[in-house]
Amino acid sequence: MALPALALGLLLVAAAPDIKYKASARVESIVRTPLLTELANSPVVTDVLAAPRLEGFLNTHLLDVKLIYEPQFLIRQTTTRPTLEILQSVYTTGTYKIRRDLSLLAVHTTTYGTFPFDTNGGGGTGSLPVLPGAKVSSAYIYTETAAGFWTSLGIKRMAIAGTLGWVVNGLLDPPVRPARRGNAAYPQQRYPELRVQSFYGATRRDYLIVSLYGRDVSFSTGNRDSLLQLAPGLQHFFNPLVDLTVEPGLAFGREYPRRPDRPVENVLVPTLETRLQAPVPLGNHWPVRATVRMRYLPYMDPLTAQLVERGDVGVDLVWKGRREAKVTGKLRYARTLTPGIHSGDAEFKTEFEGLYPLPLSRYLYVQGKGQLTWTDHVVISSVPVVQWYTSVGLVVRYDRGRL
């Protein structure tokens, strides 16, 4: 009996699918301006960040599962005594293939931790605590659970994918009153979210696109907003490296006020989203990919819970080299395009990130990041607020793990 049992056990182990994993850890030294919700003794503060990361992959002919876990330990030096803050993130996704043209999808992500919340005074106001003498909770959570599908309906060059999820985003002890001038504390949001997108290859270079997006957001302040967007579009490939996407559409929204005696406001606006992807010629080859976006969409302001029409333009640059070396850069400018209290709101943001392998090493990388944000918002401050941060770090990665 022992030999057949041992043979069966060996067969089961041999038939089990491989579980691959990637392990990494990074340490960063950060120099930045204080957040709008923290008090600091200096206009420039320093942090130290340590973040281990584990990624696991399970792949079979029917099931694909991916799991990522990353805790972040952040030592902040904003006051006379350093503070330790822990942020934990979990991301899980799974795909199950029912048949050749139909798959089920599932996604769950949660980020939980604390961040500086000494004041909600925003930029341009005094450094007064939210509640003098009272302890303010800074526990924060973002969690999203979604289920969906992918199918081709048995039609060649057709793909349809959709997800329906539930999202919670904000402080666990959120503000319950409408935001006033100088308030930088965002209300908590809870909402279902629907995403559906279909592609059909009409020709070898042209794809017809239909996008549907909707959500119904309830704020901790008592406000509620609903939004539904429908946008048919066209994606044209000039060549395998250059393509242009144009998606005009229509958006319908409703604003439910905090007080029940106020009327519900309807919003109906046209939408437009365009995207151009092309390589950037540098030297004898084109390793840099550029994406230019221009959008005109309704924007749900998280502070005032109002639906406003906003336009934005952005450029993304990505360079990928050998051994997973990568450099990315982003530029974005957004501005409100409708009258009202948000008529002067605008935001400019630029980001940079680089990851480069060290010579004579298979596992060590050097990393650099930077970000600059210019924000003009009616609630946060009466004058534009400028914030920035830079970081330099060392990353250790092991990408060939197998169980």
Side-chain angles (χ1 to χ4, degrees):
M1 291 296 293
L3 288 178
L6 179 60
L8 180 60
L10 292 176
L11 288 175
L12 290 176
V13 171
D18 288 339
I19 299 178
K20 300 179 182 179
Y21 68 89
K22 297 181 180 180
S24 64
R26 57 189 170 97
V27 178
E28 297 182 26
S29 175
I30 302 173
V31 179
R32 61 177 178 85
T33 54
L35 302 179
L36 296 179
T37 56
E38 70 179 326
L39 301 176
N41 298 329
S42 171
V44 177
V45 297
T46 59
D47 302 331
V48 176
L49 172 67
R53 181 185 177 98
L54 179 64
E55 302 180 35
F57 308 89
L58 172 64
N59 304 108
T60 69
H61 68 290
L62 294 178
L63 179 65
D64 293 333
V65 178
K66 181 179 180 180
L67 171 66
I68 300 176
Y69 174 62
E70 183 182 70
Q72 297 183 8
F73 304 91
L74 190 61
I75 301 176
R76 299 185 184 271
Q77 185 69 52
T78 57
T79 58
T80 56
R81 297 180 58 185
T83 59
L84 173 63
E85 294 163 14
I86 302 176
L87 187 71
Q88 301 187 66
S89 298
V90 176
Y91 173 80
T92 305
T93 179
T95 304
Y96 182 75
K97 184 182 295 185
I98 296 181
R99 57 176 188 263
R100 187 176 181 180
D101 63 341
L102 177 61
S103 297
L104 298 182
L105 315 173
V107 178
H108 175 78
T109 179
T110 295
T111 298
Y112 171 78
T114 59
F115 72 99
F117 192 25
D118 308 316
T119 174
N120 66 355
T125 60
S127 298
L128 297 177
V130 181
L131 295 173
K135 184 178 180 180
V136 180
S137 172
S138 62
Y140 165 86
I141 189 170
Y142 175 86
T143 179
E144 178 179 357
T145 302
F149 68 94
W150 175 93
T151 182
S152 64
L153 298 178
I155 303 175
K156 296 181 65 174
R157 300 192 302 272
M158 168 74 80
I160 303 175
T163 59
L164 177 62
W166 175 255
V167 180
V168 178
N169 180 22
L171 293 169
L172 293 182
D173 185 17
V176 295
R177 296 182 179 180
R180 298 181 178 179
R181 171 77 72 177
N183 192 331
Y186 288 81
Q188 187 188 89
Q189 303 176 22
R190 294 173 174 263
Y191 55 92
E193 187 174 55
L194 173 67
R195 295 179 182 269
V196 180
Q197 193 169 43
S198 65
F199 293 85
Y200 176 71
T203 67
R204 295 180 62 183
R205 294 192 174 188
D206 297 289
Y207 287 80
L208 302 178
I209 305 172
V210 178
S211 301
L212 177 66
Y213 174 75
R215 59 177 176 170
D216 185 9
V217 182
S218 297
F219 295 86
S220 60
T221 55
N223 301 82
R224 178 184 162 204
D225 291 342
S226 299
L227 181 64
L228 183 66
Q229 298 174 210
L230 178 64
L234 175 67
Q235 183 179 19
H236 176 73
F237 286 83
F238 297 94
N239 58 56
L241 299 177
V242 181
D243 67 272
L244 175 65
T245 303
V246 179
E247 294 183 78
L250 195 65
F252 172 73
R254 304 192 75 178
E255 294 183 10
Y256 299 88
R258 172 184 171 92
R259 295 174 51 181
D261 58 331
R262 297 288 181 87
V264 176
E265 296 186 13
N266 296 326
V267 178
L268 183 64
V269 297
T271 66
L272 177 62
E273 184 170 359
T274 62
R275 182 179 68 252
L276 174 65
Q277 298 186 91
V280 177
L282 291 176
N284 297 324
H285 55 292
W286 297 7
V288 178
R289 293 284 298 175
T291 303
V292 181
R293 292 184 177 88
M294 291 183 292
R295 300 185 298 181
Y296 178 78
L297 298 170
Y299 173 69
M300 193 176 298
D301 191 273
L303 284 172
T304 61
Q306 289 192 358
L307 286 172
V308 296
E309 300 172 41
R310 193 168 76 159
D312 68 71
V313 59
V315 179
D316 297 348
L317 300 173
V318 178
W319 173 84
K320 294 183 179 180
R322 298 178 58 185
R323 296 178 53 197
E324 299 190 19
K326 183 172 68 173
V327 178
T328 62
K330 298 181 181 180
L331 289 171
R332 177 176 170 270
Y333 177 76
R335 185 175 182 85
T336 302
L337 301 177
T338 53
I341 64 172
H342 290 284
S343 60
D345 289 0
E347 181 183 40
F348 172 79
K349 186 175 183 179
T350 178
E351 300 179 49
F352 164 83
E353 181 176 352
L355 182 70
Y356 194 79
L358 293 177
L360 305 178
S361 175
R362 297 171 53 184
Y363 309 114
L364 294 179
Y365 297 77
V366 63
Q367 184 180 63
K369 297 180 183 180
Q371 184 182 99
L372 173 67
T373 304
W374 177 91
T375 306
D376 190 3
H377 193 279
V378 64
V379 171
I380 294 178
S381 175
S382 57
V383 295
V385 178
V386 178
Q387 293 182 289
W388 57 265
Y389 93 89
T390 60
S391 73
V392 177
L394 182 66
V395 182
V396 183
R397 297 172 55 174
Y398 180 72
D399 297 343
R400 300 183 180 181
R402 186 184 297 268
L403 299 178

